[in-house]
Amino acid sequence: MTEADHNPGGPGPLELSESEMTSLVNAAMVRITGLLATVADQPLDGSLEVSPEFIRGLREPLPESPEDPEALLDHLFQELVPRNLNPISPGFMGYIPGGGLFHAAAADLISNSVNRYLGVTSVSPALNQLERNVIQWFCQILGLPEGAGGFLTTGGSLANLSALVAARVARFGDDDFSSGVIYLSDQAHNCVEKSARIAGFSTRAMRTLPSDGNFRLCPDKLRRAIQQDRETGLTPFLVTASAGTTNTGAVDPLEELADLARSENLWFHVDAAYGGFFCLTERGKRAMAGIERADSVALDPHKTLFLPYGTGALLVRAPDTLRRAHSSTADYLPAMQDDPDLLDFCELSPELTRPFRGLRVWLPMKMHGAGVFRHYLDEKLDLARLVEQAVDDNPALDLLAGAELSVVAFAVKDRGQSPDQRNDDSQRLLAAINREQKVKLTGTLLHGVFAIRVAIVVFRTHRDRIEVLLREIQRALGDTGLARPDQAAPTLDSG
């Protein structure tokens, strides 16, 4: 018999007392603060220590009896958390994460504890407005026109999916859309193609156009592809541009693409999951001129607003396009809002049940103001340019993609070796750079050339770690024999 069986009308074991709640949170906080205080010294890739045997040893049956919370937390923080990639470290420059601001974690504790439902305005009108404030801040940052709106979601993948569905419905309604064609570059994120498949388009509907020498979508190639498709009876209806590609941080020529989309009557979608929030900075605004003309924009606050994973957004010029694509009714639902000052998020997105996501953005932004985020993003732009210059000055390396935003890509010097040998050399160099776990980089293919990527996005990454990075690159060049002893690494100036 459980406690609840003995006392079905009173509090059961799932209703913790004030002291039990405080004790649990305090026990977790001791471990969290200890981890964050030492994050700069922790291994960057604990997953390297994980064997299949270790994973099999983690399998466990359904627990039927309680266990001590302290022991559970010790197991989590001592055995599980360290044995993974560490994307909150200042040395992590491999992918494009954001560092996971603690303020947002505190906000999640609050929002998950009060557990308010944000799908329908009538049940949480005050918190609904708070989340709408966040959406309007994002629209303001990008310069979208008055009346623009959108919603928060889990990330760029679902934001891109909803944008594509909205574009499909706006163009075809409930009619057959099998003639529709979607255009993107070979540098577009893979979730765009995945979204198209989920939205019902076959691979024949996708036109993946080769990017130019700067890894950008070429308007002339796009124009020719649209003309050819129209001549064969197809229906061009959507172009997806990138504002900060994953591979190199490239920003497509948004102004030209916006002009072309308008002249060809195409929906203009911008995947700005990585780059969008650089619009907080003057350099970012210049790089992304034209983004304000988009019909829809995907954003990832969990990248360049440094928030925890699971924070994405979709913005649109005309929120009614989202409503036409996602609205549905049921007898058990309350009447949806007609007042333009009120909004039911379930009418704009695929989710009916949705949590209170806005607080994890609202709290850190209100605590610090936009200026602090602007400063950190400007710093990342500066650091990337330091890396670009150092790589460009290094006689053993080729700069493949400069720092348009905060990603730099390079390879081993082309010394006339075969393409396969050069790629092998670059992969050996990457492994040697990562071996000491002072920095973590990743690789990709750029027009067939294996490239080493430096992605500077974590808010904890500052100039001191960039100096470590450059020393590690030069050490690795020496260890692999890819640089002569007299080829010293260029040093950063004191500015």
Side-chain angles (χ1 to χ4, degrees), residues 137 361-370 373:
W137 295 345
V361 183
W362 182 89
L363 186 61
M365 190 67 77
K366 292 286 285 187
M367 286 178 65
H368 293 289
F373 292 88

Side-chain angles (χ1 to χ4, degrees), residues 116-393:
R116 296 304 192 259
Y117 169 64
L118 263 290
V120 176
T121 299
S122 60
V123 300
S124 295
L127 297 183
N128 177 284
Q129 183 57 51
L130 184 152
E131 194 154 313
R132 290 184 68 194
N133 291 346
V134 168
I135 292 296
Q136 289 308 307
W137 295 345
F138 291 173
C139 291
Q140 179 181 344
I141 290 169
L142 268 58
L144 292 174
E146 185 176 352
F151 59 88
L152 297 180
T153 184
T154 57
S157 293
L158 286 185
N160 282 315
L161 172 60
S162 286
L164 195 149
V165 171
R168 187 198 73 197
V169 173
R171 177 63 180 84
F172 299 101
D174 293 328
D175 296 336
D176 176 37
F177 55 85
S178 59
S179 67
V181 185
I182 300 164
Y183 302 89
L184 65 159
S185 92
D186 58 14
Q187 299 298 302
H189 196 279
N190 76 307
C191 74
V192 176
E193 183 177 349
K194 182 189 291 188
S195 295
R197 294 201 311 269
I198 295 171
F201 291 94
S202 71
T203 55
R204 295 189 299 276
M206 306 293 291
R207 294 289 178 273
T208 302
L209 304 175
S211 55
D212 64 16
N214 293 314
F215 308 103
R216 298 170 185 158
L217 178 59
C218 177
D220 288 341
K221 293 177 183 176
L222 174 60
R223 185 178 292 106
R224 288 195 295 270
I226 292 170
Q227 181 180 355
Q228 291 170 1
D229 285 330
R230 289 199 196 281
E231 290 173 353
T232 59
L234 297 175
T235 310
F237 82 100
L238 181 145
V239 56
T240 293
S242 297
T245 62
T246 298
N247 268 345
T248 67
V251 179
D252 290 333
L254 302 180
E255 286 280 20
E256 293 179 71
L257 294 172
D259 288 340
L260 181 55
R262 179 172 296 178
S263 67
E264 295 286 350
N265 193 31
L266 304 186
W267 181 287
F268 182 39
H269 175 63
V270 178
D271 181 359
Y274 157 52
F277 288 107
F278 281 103
C279 285
L280 279 166
T281 72
E282 289 302 319
R283 284 174 287 179
K285 285 179 184 176
R286 290 194 297 270
M288 278 171 270
I291 194 171
E292 73 282 355
R293 299 173 60 190
D295 293 295
S296 54
V297 182
L299 292 170
D300 266 351
H302 63 217
K303 291 185 172 74
T304 37
L305 280 189
F306 318 121
L307 300 182
Y309 290 125
T311 319
L314 177 63
L315 308 181
V316 293
R317 296 179 71 82
D320 278 349
T321 59
L322 291 179
R323 186 174 285 106
R324 288 197 295 272
H326 296 97
S327 176
S328 66
T329 61
D331 291 339
Y332 48 79
L333 291 175
M336 298 295 112
Q337 302 298 323
D338 294 324
D339 188 332
D341 290 331
L342 300 174
L343 177 68
D344 298 301
F345 282 117
C346 71
E347 288 279 272
L348 304 187
S349 78
E351 295 178 296
L352 176 58
T353 301
R354 67 187 307 278
F356 176 29
R357 292 191 180 99
L359 191 62
R360 58 163 49 187
V361 183
W362 182 89
L363 186 61
M365 190 67 77
K366 292 286 285 187
M367 286 178 65
H368 293 289
V372 171
F373 292 88
R374 183 176 297 112
H375 168 78
Y376 272 79
L377 290 171
D378 264 323
E379 179 195 34
K380 305 316 163 203
L381 296 175
D382 290 339
L383 295 178
R385 277 150 184 76
L386 290 175
V387 174
E388 175 187 7
Q389 188 62 56
V391 168
D392 203 31
D393 290 343

